[in-house]
Amino acid sequence: MIPFNKPFLSGKETDNIKDAVLSGKISGNGKYTQLCHQFFNEKYPAFGKCLLTTSCTDALEMSAILTCISPGDEVIIPSYTFVSTANAFALRGAKIVFADSSEQHPNIDENTIESLITPKTKAIVPVHYAGMACNMSVIKEIANKHNLYVVEDAAQAIDSHFINDLGQRIPLGSIGDTAAFSFHETKNIISGEGGMLTVNNPELEKRAEIIWEKGTNRSAFFRGEIDKYGWVDIGSSFLPSEIVSAFLYAQLENLNTIQNQRIKWWNLYNQLLSSADLKGRIDLPEIPVYAENNAHMYYIVCESLDLRNTIIARLKAENIHAVFHYQSLHASPYYASKHDGRVLKNSDRFTDTLLRLPMFYELTESDIVKTVNIIKSCVL
Ligand SMILES: *Cc1c(COP(=O)(O)O)cnc(C)c1O
């Protein structure tokens, strides 16, 4: 059996958890949470303030609170994304204005964004699909021109970079006013459920910490900056326990090993599929010149829904689990009646034709060869 995903364990996770448990401090913002924050700030100096959260969904909800989204505000979000990207803003009463994907890849088509802006627009939320950067120079330029916030959904984008016009590598998650990462067990670096908010706009930093701590200035109190703490703003319980951060820290210490292995498998898929005669019926991922690949996912785009169904069924018959991905949110049961009727053809095409192949650390070369051979047999 080749599953679609198998969570990778470095082996140190349980040691760290044991250490956290025996230390007697297992609520949040203790030693391991701080080690994780420190790790990120050292490895990616471009990151602003880092705050671990219990999920990427929570980091997105914090972003919606931080950017003061209120009823009637409009937020521009790609339709081809996970529900949390939109839901976080819908919870604050925002109207979600869905944008189409690019023709070449599932990321938001940056050329359509400006036509969606109205006086009510407050934020743009680019999603770095498969860990490949959106065109952040163009998105930031539009945001600056119209005075909008940018919140990066960097759920899949750990250790990936945007390449700017000067050829500099800018870590994803450091570009938006805020960014949200996920450490869900399906991502590259995991803690079961887990996430992180990065706050790159210094004006939002102080409030982020308060929202994170249930609307109190408890963090400042523990730093000795004030002599008592209280309710100073809205907020919620967004910080994970030390048990979660202890697990995460073991993963972070193995980040390079995990990334290198995934990139090796990604390249093998790509090499085998590029050299196969796919009769023009399957497209392989196109990495834009301004994006890097963190091997979060290997996907193919089939000529039709039928071909995708055939490939899924033939792989399944050999016990290989390949899965499709998002269903356009503008056409979802919750949002279809609220959508303004624009046709988002690329989002709908990826809904029907994109297929994700097994991708995880412990995959083997023969797993990949077998998977690719079955795919090849489907296009003959
Ligand atoms: C995984 C994912 C999320 C949600 O992450 P959680 O940590 O499960 O809340 C949000 N957006 C995208 C694009 C994702 O891939």
Side-chain angles (χ1 to χ4, degrees), residues 55-57 81-82 84-85 127 153 155-156 182 184 187 194 326:
S55 64
C56 175
T57 301
T81 184
F82 189 61
S84 293
T85 322
V127 179
D153 182 336
Q156 307 172 8
S182 176
H184 184 263
K187 306 303 203 272
Y326 306 127

Side-chain angles (χ1 to χ4, degrees), residues 42-190:
E42 277 165 17
K43 186 161 175 72
Y44 310 102
F47 280 5
K49 189 177 186 62
C50 295
L51 294 171
L52 291 192
T53 55
T54 48
S55 64
C56 175
T57 301
D58 269 355
L60 289 163
E61 287 178 24
M62 284 183 73
S63 298
I65 297 172
L66 266 174
T67 52
C68 299
I69 300 297
S70 41
D73 288 344
E74 295 178 8
V75 180
I76 299 172
I77 293 177
S79 180
Y80 194 75
T81 184
F82 189 61
V83 288
S84 293
T85 322
N87 203 28
F89 295 89
L91 272 172
R92 314 299 315 160
K95 175 182 169 197
I96 312 300
V97 177
F98 284 112
D100 204 359
S101 296
S102 141
E103 183 92 34
Q104 285 79 32
H105 48 73
N107 281 345
I108 193 166
D109 181 347
E110 67 275 8
N111 300 311
T112 64
I113 294 175
E114 213 156 11
S115 69
L116 302 176
I117 294 173
T118 75
K120 291 182 173 164
T121 308
K122 263 305 226 342
I124 307 170
V125 189
V127 179
H128 306 298
Y129 188 78
M132 292 178 205
C134 295
N135 193 337
M136 294 310 289
S137 316
V138 171
I139 292 171
K140 282 287 277 189
E141 204 175 292
I142 295 170
N144 289 342
K145 182 172 153 194
H146 296 273
N147 202 16
L148 307 175
Y149 285 112
V150 174
V151 174
E152 295 174 74
D153 182 336
Q156 307 172 8
I158 187 90
D159 201 43
S160 197
H161 295 77
F162 172 72
I163 319 286
N164 73 9
D165 297 342
L166 303 170
Q168 293 160 325
R169 298 169 69 232
I170 320 265
L172 297 184
S174 71
I175 305 167
D177 294 281
T178 68
F181 286 95
S182 176
F183 307 120
H184 184 263
E185 74 167 22
T186 51
K187 306 303 203 272
N188 292 25
I189 298 294
I190 62 174

Side-chain angles (χ1 to χ4, degrees), residues 215-256:
T216 71
N217 48 1
R218 189 166 174 269
S219 297
F221 171 72
F222 280 115
R223 282 195 300 267
E225 294 167 14
I226 44 177
D227 57 12
K228 57 180 185 299
Y229 75 87
W231 187 18
V232 294
D233 202 334
I234 58 168
S236 192
S237 183
F238 289 118
L239 70 173
S241 89
E242 279 291 290
I243 297 173
V244 171
S245 25
F247 188 110
L248 181 65
Y249 190 61
Q251 293 266 314
L252 293 176
E253 286 189 294
N254 289 280
L255 187 139
N256 291 341

Side-chain angles (χ1 to χ4, degrees), residues 84-378:
S84 293
T85 322
N87 203 28
F89 295 89
L91 272 172
R92 314 299 315 160
K95 175 182 169 197
I96 312 300
V97 177
F98 284 112
D100 204 359
S101 296
S102 141
E103 183 92 34
Q104 285 79 32
H105 48 73
N107 281 345
I108 193 166
D109 181 347
E110 67 275 8
N111 300 311
T112 64
I113 294 175
E114 213 156 11
S115 69
L116 302 176
I117 294 173
T118 75
K120 291 182 173 164
T121 308
K122 263 305 226 342
I124 307 170
V125 189
V127 179
H128 306 298
Y129 188 78
M132 292 178 205
C134 295
N135 193 337
M136 294 310 289
S137 316
V138 171
I139 292 171
K140 282 287 277 189
E141 204 175 292
I142 295 170
N144 289 342
K145 182 172 153 194
H146 296 273
N147 202 16
L148 307 175
Y149 285 112
V150 174
V151 174
E152 295 174 74
D153 182 336
Q156 307 172 8
I158 187 90
D159 201 43
S160 197
H161 295 77
F162 172 72
I163 319 286
N164 73 9
D165 297 342
L166 303 170
Q168 293 160 325
R169 298 169 69 232
I170 320 265
L172 297 184
S174 71
I175 305 167
D177 294 281
T178 68
F181 286 95
S182 176
F183 307 120
H184 184 263
E185 74 167 22
T186 51
K187 306 303 203 272
N188 292 25
I189 298 294
I190 62 174
S191 61
E193 303 279 352
M196 181 171 72
L197 179 76
T198 57
V199 185
N200 305 309
N201 177 341
E203 287 173 23
L204 303 180
E205 258 184 35
K206 208 166 163 197
R207 194 164 172 245
E209 199 176 63
I210 288 166
I211 292 166
W212 189 59
E213 279 274 26
K214 304 149 187 102
T216 71
N217 48 1
R218 189 166 174 269
S219 297
F221 171 72
F222 280 115
R223 282 195 300 267
E225 294 167 14
I226 44 177
D227 57 12
K228 57 180 185 299
Y229 75 87
W231 187 18
V232 294
D233 202 334
I234 58 168
S236 192
S237 183
F238 289 118
L239 70 173
S241 89
E242 279 291 290
I243 297 173
V244 171
S245 25
F247 188 110
L248 181 65
Y249 190 61
Q251 293 266 314
L252 293 176
E253 286 189 294
N254 289 280
L255 187 139
N256 291 341
T257 316
I258 294 170
Q259 289 301 98
N260 290 340
Q261 184 75 351
R262 295 183 73 106
I263 287 167
K264 179 173 140 191
W265 297 143
W266 198 100
N267 287 339
L268 183 61
Y269 269 125
N270 207 47
Q271 181 204 324
L272 293 173
L273 284 164
S274 320
S275 55
D277 180 11
L278 300 172
K279 313 245 183 291
R281 300 184 65 201
I282 294 176
D283 288 333
L284 305 183
E286 274 185 47
I287 308 174
V289 289
Y290 53 76
E292 235 176 45
N293 171 32
N294 70 346
H296 170 60
M297 175 196 307
Y298 195 89
Y299 70 82
I300 59 175
V301 181
C302 304
E303 156 198 78
S304 63
L305 178 60
D306 277 352
L307 179 58
R308 186 175 77 178
N309 287 339
T310 303
I311 296 174
I312 292 174
R314 293 240 200 119
L315 288 171
K316 189 158 178 247
E318 301 289 332
N319 269 318
I320 301 173
H321 196 202
V323 292
F324 53 82
H325 212 183
Y326 306 127
Q327 308 290 296
S328 289
L329 291 179
H330 72 278
S332 62
Y334 178 67
Y335 217 82
S337 63
K338 302 176 181 65
H339 179 63
D340 56 26
R342 278 172 301 114
V343 175
L344 304 178
K345 68 174 173 43
N346 294 323
S347 178
D348 287 343
R349 183 166 50 85
F350 290 121
T351 295
D352 287 343
T353 61
L354 185 145
L355 182 64
R356 297 176 291 160
L357 306 181
M359 172 58 86
F360 51 91
Y361 188 96
E362 288 168 76
L363 212 52
T364 65
E365 185 166 337
S366 75
D367 290 342
I368 295 177
V369 170
K370 189 173 170 193
T371 304
V372 168
N373 284 338
I374 294 168
I375 294 170
K376 285 201 284 193
S377 76
C378 296

